[in-house]
Amino acid sequence: GQNIDQPTEMTATEGAIVQINCTYQTSGFNGLFWYQQHAGEAPTFLSYNVLDGLEEKGRFSSFLSRSKGYSYLLLKELQMKDSASYLCAVTDSNYQLIWGAGTKLIIKP
Amino acid sequence: EAEVAQSPRYKITEKSQAVAFWCDPISGHATLYWYRQILGQGPELLVQFQDESVVDDSQLPKDRFSAERLKGVDSTLKIQPAELGDSAMYLCASSQNEREYTDTQYFGPGTRLTVL
Protein backbone atom coordinates (compact mmCIF):
# COMPACT_ATOMS: atom_id res chain seq x y z
CA GLY A 1 0.00 0.00 0.00
CA GLN A 2 0.93 3.64 -0.18
CA ASN A 3 1.91 5.38 3.02
CA ILE A 4 3.11 8.76 4.17
CA ASP A 5 4.26 9.25 7.77
CA GLN A 6 4.58 12.53 9.61
CA PRO A 7 4.64 13.29 13.34
CA THR A 8 1.17 14.14 14.61
CA GLU A 9 2.17 17.19 16.61
CA MET A 10 5.26 19.29 17.36
CA THR A 11 5.88 22.22 19.67
CA ALA A 12 8.50 24.94 19.16
CA THR A 13 9.37 28.36 20.54
CA GLU A 14 8.94 31.67 18.77
CA GLY A 15 12.18 32.69 17.06
CA ALA A 16 13.56 29.15 17.00
CA ILE A 17 14.02 26.61 14.18
CA VAL A 18 11.90 23.49 13.68
CA GLN A 19 12.24 20.55 11.31
CA ILE A 20 9.17 18.55 10.29
CA ASN A 21 9.97 15.14 8.83
CA CYS A 22 8.06 13.13 6.26
CA THR A 23 8.77 9.57 5.13
CA TYR A 24 6.94 7.96 2.25
CA GLN A 25 6.39 4.58 0.63
CA THR A 26 4.56 5.00 -2.66
CA SER A 27 4.16 3.28 -6.00
CA GLY A 28 6.68 5.38 -7.86
CA PHE A 29 7.61 8.99 -7.26
CA ASN A 30 6.98 12.09 -9.33
CA GLY A 31 7.45 14.84 -6.79
CA LEU A 32 6.76 15.88 -3.20
CA PHE A 33 4.75 18.85 -1.98
CA TRP A 34 4.49 20.65 1.34
CA TYR A 35 1.33 22.59 2.15
CA GLN A 36 0.46 24.77 5.13
CA GLN A 37 -3.04 24.65 6.57
CA HIS A 38 -4.28 26.99 9.28
CA ALA A 39 -7.13 25.71 11.44
CA GLY A 40 -10.44 25.88 9.57
CA GLU A 41 -8.82 27.03 6.35
CA ALA A 42 -7.73 25.41 3.09
CA PRO A 43 -4.18 24.16 2.41
CA THR A 44 -1.82 26.63 0.77
CA PHE A 45 1.18 25.59 -1.32
CA LEU A 46 4.61 25.98 0.29
CA SER A 47 7.13 23.98 -1.74
CA TYR A 48 7.77 21.31 -4.35
CA ASN A 49 10.75 18.95 -4.60
CA VAL A 50 11.40 16.47 -7.37
CA LEU A 51 15.20 16.23 -7.27
CA ASP A 52 17.38 15.44 -4.28
CA GLY A 53 18.60 18.35 -2.26
CA LEU A 54 17.50 21.47 -0.48
CA GLU A 55 15.12 24.09 -1.84
CA GLU A 56 15.13 27.37 0.06
CA LYS A 57 12.34 29.92 0.00
CA GLY A 58 12.69 32.67 2.56
CA ARG A 59 12.26 31.32 6.09
CA PHE A 60 11.11 27.95 4.75
CA SER A 61 13.31 25.24 3.21
CA SER A 62 12.43 21.76 2.00
CA PHE A 63 14.78 18.82 1.57
CA LEU A 64 14.34 15.60 -0.39
CA SER A 65 16.20 12.28 -0.47
CA ARG A 66 14.54 9.99 -3.00
CA SER A 67 16.75 7.01 -2.13
CA LYS A 68 15.64 7.20 1.50
CA GLY A 69 12.01 8.11 0.81
CA TYR A 70 12.45 11.09 3.09
CA SER A 71 11.77 14.78 3.15
CA TYR A 72 11.79 17.53 5.73
CA LEU A 73 10.43 21.03 5.98
CA LEU A 74 12.63 23.46 7.89
CA LEU A 75 11.10 26.58 9.35
CA LYS A 76 13.46 29.29 10.63
CA GLU A 77 12.84 32.35 12.82
CA LEU A 78 9.48 30.96 13.89
CA GLN A 79 6.59 33.38 14.22
CA MET A 80 3.29 32.88 16.01
CA LYS A 81 1.52 32.91 12.64
CA ASP A 82 3.43 29.73 11.71
CA SER A 83 1.14 27.79 14.07
CA ALA A 84 -0.64 25.53 11.61
CA SER A 85 -0.71 22.01 10.23
CA TYR A 86 1.90 21.08 7.65
CA LEU A 87 0.89 18.49 5.08
CA CYS A 88 3.32 16.35 3.09
CA ALA A 89 2.00 14.93 -0.20
CA VAL A 90 3.66 12.71 -2.82
CA THR A 91 2.79 12.27 -6.49
CA ASP A 92 2.97 8.58 -7.39
CA SER A 93 3.68 6.83 -10.68
CA ASN A 94 0.09 7.46 -11.83
CA TYR A 95 0.44 11.16 -11.02
CA GLN A 96 -2.03 10.77 -8.16
CA LEU A 97 -1.34 12.89 -5.08
CA ILE A 98 -1.03 10.86 -1.87
CA TRP A 99 -1.52 12.93 1.28
CA GLY A 100 -0.09 12.54 4.76
CA ALA A 101 -2.26 13.27 7.79
CA GLY A 102 -0.33 16.44 8.58
CA THR A 103 1.79 17.68 11.46
CA LYS A 104 0.22 20.20 13.83
CA LEU A 105 2.85 22.75 14.79
CA ILE A 106 2.30 24.70 18.00
CA ILE A 107 4.41 27.82 18.52
CA LYS A 108 4.87 29.06 22.07
CA PRO A 109 6.05 32.57 23.00
CA GLU B 1 -3.94 36.87 -7.85
CA ALA B 2 -6.40 34.32 -9.25
CA GLU B 3 -8.17 32.16 -6.69
CA VAL B 4 -10.43 29.12 -6.52
CA ALA B 5 -13.92 30.17 -5.43
CA GLN B 6 -16.24 27.97 -3.37
CA SER B 7 -19.69 28.45 -1.90
CA PRO B 8 -21.19 28.25 0.58
CA ARG B 9 -18.43 28.60 3.18
CA TYR B 10 -20.55 26.95 5.84
CA LYS B 11 -23.55 24.64 5.61
CA ILE B 12 -25.63 23.12 8.37
CA THR B 13 -28.20 20.55 7.38
CA GLU B 14 -30.21 17.73 8.88
CA LYS B 15 -29.56 14.14 7.97
CA SER B 16 -31.49 12.85 4.96
CA GLN B 17 -31.53 16.32 3.38
CA ALA B 18 -29.79 17.18 0.13
CA VAL B 19 -26.81 19.56 -0.02
CA ALA B 20 -24.85 21.02 -2.89
CA PHE B 21 -21.47 22.72 -3.08
CA TRP B 22 -20.15 24.88 -5.90
CA CYS B 23 -16.61 25.48 -7.09
CA ASP B 24 -15.14 27.82 -9.70
CA PRO B 25 -11.49 26.99 -10.45
CA ILE B 26 -8.74 29.37 -11.44
CA SER B 27 -9.35 30.51 -15.01
CA GLY B 28 -7.62 28.26 -17.52
CA HIS B 29 -7.10 25.38 -15.11
CA ALA B 30 -8.08 22.15 -16.84
CA THR B 31 -8.04 19.87 -13.81
CA LEU B 32 -10.48 20.17 -10.91
CA TYR B 33 -10.49 18.13 -7.71
CA TRP B 34 -13.03 17.64 -4.95
CA TYR B 35 -11.63 16.51 -1.59
CA ARG B 36 -13.15 15.67 1.78
CA GLN B 37 -11.08 16.40 4.86
CA ILE B 38 -11.90 15.19 8.35
CA LEU B 39 -10.29 17.04 11.25
CA GLY B 40 -6.79 15.77 11.94
CA GLN B 41 -6.49 13.93 8.63
CA GLY B 42 -5.16 14.71 5.20
CA PRO B 43 -7.49 15.48 2.29
CA GLU B 44 -9.20 12.47 0.70
CA LEU B 45 -9.80 12.71 -3.05
CA LEU B 46 -13.46 12.24 -3.98
CA VAL B 47 -13.40 13.04 -7.68
CA GLN B 48 -11.02 14.45 -10.29
CA PHE B 49 -12.10 16.12 -13.53
CA GLN B 50 -10.04 16.77 -16.63
CA ASP B 51 -12.05 19.45 -18.43
CA GLU B 52 -15.60 18.04 -18.33
CA SER B 53 -14.60 14.39 -17.99
CA VAL B 54 -14.26 12.38 -14.79
CA VAL B 55 -10.80 10.80 -14.61
CA ASP B 56 -11.01 9.38 -11.08
CA ASP B 57 -14.07 8.88 -8.90
CA SER B 58 -12.97 5.63 -7.28
CA GLN B 59 -13.41 7.03 -3.74
CA LEU B 60 -16.73 8.78 -4.39
CA PRO B 61 -19.64 7.11 -2.53
CA LYS B 62 -21.79 6.97 -5.62
CA ASP B 63 -24.96 5.86 -3.84
CA ARG B 64 -25.27 9.33 -2.32
CA PHE B 65 -22.64 11.60 -3.89
CA SER B 66 -22.61 13.03 -7.40
CA ALA B 67 -20.39 15.54 -9.14
CA GLU B 68 -20.51 17.30 -12.46
CA ARG B 69 -18.52 19.81 -14.49
CA LEU B 70 -20.76 20.16 -17.48
CA LYS B 71 -18.94 22.89 -19.42
CA GLY B 72 -15.49 22.07 -18.12
CA VAL B 73 -15.34 25.19 -15.97
CA ASP B 74 -17.22 25.33 -12.67
CA SER B 75 -18.36 22.25 -10.80
CA THR B 76 -21.03 21.09 -8.37
CA LEU B 77 -20.78 18.35 -5.76
CA LYS B 78 -24.04 17.02 -4.35
CA ILE B 79 -24.89 14.78 -1.42
CA GLN B 80 -28.33 13.20 -1.20
CA PRO B 81 -29.24 12.14 1.39
CA ALA B 82 -26.73 13.57 3.84
CA GLU B 83 -25.63 11.37 6.73
CA LEU B 84 -24.07 12.28 10.08
CA GLY B 85 -20.72 10.88 8.93
CA ASP B 86 -20.60 13.36 6.05
CA SER B 87 -19.72 16.19 8.44
CA ALA B 88 -16.35 17.41 7.19
CA MET B 89 -14.58 20.12 5.22
CA TYR B 90 -15.16 19.83 1.48
CA LEU B 91 -12.29 21.29 -0.50
CA CYS B 92 -12.07 22.13 -4.17
CA ALA B 93 -8.71 22.48 -5.89
CA SER B 94 -7.54 23.13 -9.43
CA SER B 95 -4.34 22.72 -11.39
CA GLN B 96 -3.28 24.00 -14.76
CA ASN B 97 -2.02 21.06 -16.72
CA GLU B 98 -3.06 17.80 -18.21
CA ARG B 99 -2.63 14.39 -16.64
CA GLU B 100 0.76 12.66 -16.73
CA TYR B 101 2.29 15.74 -15.26
CA THR B 102 3.03 16.83 -11.72
CA ASP B 103 1.43 20.19 -11.20
CA THR B 104 0.64 22.28 -8.15
CA GLN B 105 -2.91 22.15 -6.85
CA TYR B 106 -4.44 25.38 -5.58
CA PHE B 107 -7.26 25.15 -3.08
CA GLY B 108 -10.41 27.15 -2.52
CA PRO B 109 -11.46 28.21 1.00
CA GLY B 110 -13.57 25.07 1.50
CA THR B 111 -17.12 24.39 2.68
CA ARG B 112 -17.55 23.30 6.28
CA LEU B 113 -20.50 20.89 6.36
CA THR B 114 -22.25 19.98 9.59
CA VAL B 115 -24.95 17.30 9.48
CA LEU B 116 -27.28 17.21 12.48
Side-chain angles (χ1 to χ4, degrees), chain A residues 30 35 37 42 48 95-96 100, chain B residues 37 42 56 89 100 102 105 108:
Chain A
N30 280 300
Y35 281 80
Q37 186 173 27
Y48 171 67
Y95 295 91
Q96 296 301 307
Chain B
Q37 187 178 26
D56 186 354
M89 174 78 90
E100 306 301 320
T102 298
Q105 296 183 23

Side-chain angles (χ1 to χ4, degrees), chain B residues 20-115:
Chain B
F21 313 130
W22 176 81
C23 173
D24 192 11
I26 293 172
S27 179
H29 279 197
T31 311
L32 185 148
Y33 312 80
W34 282 102
Y35 288 94
R36 176 171 59 187
Q37 187 178 26
I38 296 170
L39 193 64
Q41 299 183 16
E44 172 196 14
L45 180 67
L46 294 175
V47 61
Q48 177 181 340
F49 289 93
Q50 184 66 34
D51 299 311
E52 67 277 6
S53 300
V54 173
V55 297
D56 186 354
D57 63 355
S58 57
Q59 300 303 311
L60 188 70
K62 298 182 185 63
D63 56 335
R64 298 186 300 109
F65 286 63
S66 64
E68 60 183 18
R69 194 186 184 197
L70 295 177
K71 297 183 179 179
V73 181
D74 59 336
S75 176
T76 302
L77 177 70
K78 297 179 181 178
I79 308 174
Q80 182 174 15
E83 296 180 353
L84 295 177
D86 296 331
S87 294
M89 174 78 90
Y90 290 82
L91 296 164
C92 178
S94 70
S95 64
Q96 186 169 13
N97 275 310
E98 305 288 327
R99 300 178 66 189
E100 306 301 320
Y101 186 83
T102 298
D103 200 11
T104 302
Q105 296 183 23
Y106 296 93
F107 286 82
T111 298
R112 169 70 67 186
L113 173 67
T114 301
V115 182

Side-chain angles (χ1 to χ4, degrees), chain A residues 15-61:
Chain A
I17 298 173
V18 71
Q19 178 176 311
I20 302 174
N21 296 324
C22 169
T23 57
Y24 61 89
Q25 294 174 312
T26 56
S27 302
F29 177 84
N30 280 300
L32 184 145
F33 291 88
W34 284 96
Y35 281 80
Q36 180 190 58
Q37 186 173 27
H38 285 101
E41 297 182 9
T44 56
F45 169 73
L46 286 178
S47 67
Y48 171 67
N49 295 69
V50 67
L51 299 176
D52 291 349
L54 188 68
E55 295 278 345
E56 297 186 78
K57 190 184 294 185
R59 294 189 299 114
F60 292 8
S61 302

